[in-house]
């Protein structure tokens, strides 16, 4: 399913942001009160939510969950003195589920944003999430950011990338252009399919995801340039769940210490990120 919007339209933008704020208000008020304590988690196990199709972080291949985060979960099972219970589901249900206590943690690439910090706390970053655009390889009309003027962009609904499209709009305005129509998708595979079919002109996603997708289909897609400032993904827990956050950060630190973290980054992202910040304070 896709939703067509125009992020530059002030009325529709206000309505969109108002609805988002309303939806986030409940988790912000009640999320930490319902989050399980570590004592509870030790008794009944840690319930983690992962995405079903977000390459290379998590996806299902031949009926088996794989990707960076799924391999990290396998290591977490060896590290934790309690059971790890994994729920695999679409992106749209994950953050609300964590903030309200349905799941203890989102072990996926959740981009850290100011808005999300109202209802969630984040571990140390797990990769680089700077936003780039990708286009069809045979589309000669796009060779730089200024060529995106007025063109149709695809992005995942409810994602941090959607909220930061105004950064791209500002880049285009400096070149005398403007952001075109925005088409929102429930998942990125849908957006890539429409890009290949010419229904959108380009798609915006994080650099790691796009590098993976382009490597899989080099004859179809081509990576463009950065369309945002620095951005980082991390795992998320309900706001105020400091014990669980400390436990997960301790696990990530152990993975880094043994070299396993860099090994998995290299395997799934094509490179490791040795200079990731221990904590990220986002501008947006």
């Amino acid at each position: 399913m896709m939703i067509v919007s125009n992020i530059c339209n002030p009325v529709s933008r206000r309505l969109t942001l108002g609805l988002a704020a309303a939806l986030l208000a409940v988790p912000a008020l009640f999320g930490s009160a319902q989050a399980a304590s570590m004592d509870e988690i030790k008794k009944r196990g840690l319930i983690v939510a992962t995405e079903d199709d977000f390459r290379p972080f998590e996806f299902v291949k031949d009926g088996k969950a794989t990707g960076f985060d799924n391999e990290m979960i396998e290591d977490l099972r060896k590290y934790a003195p309690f059971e790890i219970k994994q729920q695999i589901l679409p992106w749209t249900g994950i953050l609300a589920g964590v903030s309200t206590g349905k799941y203890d943690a989102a072990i996926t690439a959740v981009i850290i944003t100011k808005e999300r910090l109202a209802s969630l706390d984040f571990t140390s970053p797990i990769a680089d999430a700077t936003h780039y655009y990708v286009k069809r390889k045979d589309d000669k009309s796009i060779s730089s950011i200024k060529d995106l003027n007025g063109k149709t962009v695809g992005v995942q609904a409810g994602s941090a990338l959607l909220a930061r499209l105004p950064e791209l709009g500002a880049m285009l305005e400096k070149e005398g252009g403007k952001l075109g129509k925005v088409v929102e998708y429930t998942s990125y595979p849908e957006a890539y399919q429409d890009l290949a079919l010419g229904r959108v002109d380009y798609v915006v996603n994080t650099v790691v995801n796009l590098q993976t997708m382009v490597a899989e289909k080099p004859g179809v897609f081509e990576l463009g340039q950065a369309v945002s400032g620095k951005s980082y993904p991390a795992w998320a827990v309900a706001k105020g769940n400091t014990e669980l956050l400390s436990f997960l950060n301790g696990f990530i630190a152990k993975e880094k210490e043994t070299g396993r973290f860099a090994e998995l980054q290299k395997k799934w992202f094509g490179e490791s990120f040795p200079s990731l910040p221990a904590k990220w304070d986002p501008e947006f």
Side-chain angles (χ1 to χ4, degrees), residues 57-270:
F57 292 94
E58 305 116 64
F59 59 102
V60 177
K61 184 178 181 181
D62 299 327
K64 182 181 178 182
T66 189
F68 174 83
D69 286 318
N70 280 306
E71 288 214 45
M72 288 284 283
I73 288 173
E74 288 306 308
D75 289 356
L76 182 61
R77 287 192 166 104
K78 299 170 187 173
Y79 175 86
F82 42 76
E83 185 182 1
I84 306 297
K85 302 176 180 178
Q86 183 179 5
Q87 297 288 326
I88 301 174
L89 61 153
W91 161 252
T92 49
I94 291 179
L95 296 189
V98 171
S99 63
T100 56
K102 183 176 182 180
Y103 313 113
D104 298 314
I107 296 191
T108 183
V110 185
I111 295 176
I112 305 168
T113 68
K114 282 190 177 295
E115 185 178 50
R116 288 172 177 169
L117 281 169
S119 57
L120 299 165
D121 283 329
F122 293 89
T123 64
S124 55
I126 58 174
D128 187 328
T130 303
H131 306 172
Y132 277 64
Y133 75 84
V134 65
K135 70 179 191 79
R136 290 184 301 281
K137 189 162 188 173
D138 63 1
D139 186 354
K140 304 303 180 185
S141 70
I142 300 175
S143 60
S144 65
I145 288 176
K146 68 178 182 179
D147 298 326
L148 303 179
N149 172 37
K151 293 187 180 292
T152 301
V153 55
V155 68
Q156 188 176 49
S159 68
L161 295 100
L162 177 65
R164 289 186 69 170
L165 279 182
E167 288 181 78
L168 173 56
M171 293 180 190
L172 289 169
E173 285 177 10
K174 288 182 181 179
E175 299 284 351
K178 65 178 182 178
L179 194 66
K181 183 171 67 176
V182 179
V183 182
E184 300 175 35
Y185 294 86
T186 55
S187 70
Y188 269 106
E190 294 174 276
Y192 299 146
Q193 182 179 36
D194 271 8
L195 176 59
L197 293 172
R199 293 171 181 159
V200 295
D201 299 306
Y202 65 104
V203 170
V204 170
N205 199 351
T206 66
V207 62
V208 167
N209 298 94
L210 292 182
Q211 284 176 335
T212 299
M213 194 266 294
V214 170
E216 290 175 351
K217 298 182 179 179
V220 181
F221 301 111
E222 185 176 298
L223 185 65
Q225 298 163 288
V227 294
S228 80
K230 276 294 181 184
S231 184
Y232 296 99
W235 298 346
V237 302
K239 192 72 179 177
N241 200 345
T242 54
E243 283 187 297
L244 177 56
L245 186 68
S246 178
F247 172 79
L248 291 174
N249 272 328
F251 165 67
I252 292 172
K254 184 70 174 178
E255 293 283 276
K256 288 180 178 179
E257 182 184 323
T258 63
R260 174 67 170 165
F261 195 70
E263 175 190 327
L264 289 177
Q265 285 180 325
K266 186 78 173 175
K267 175 181 177 178
W268 291 107
F269 308 151

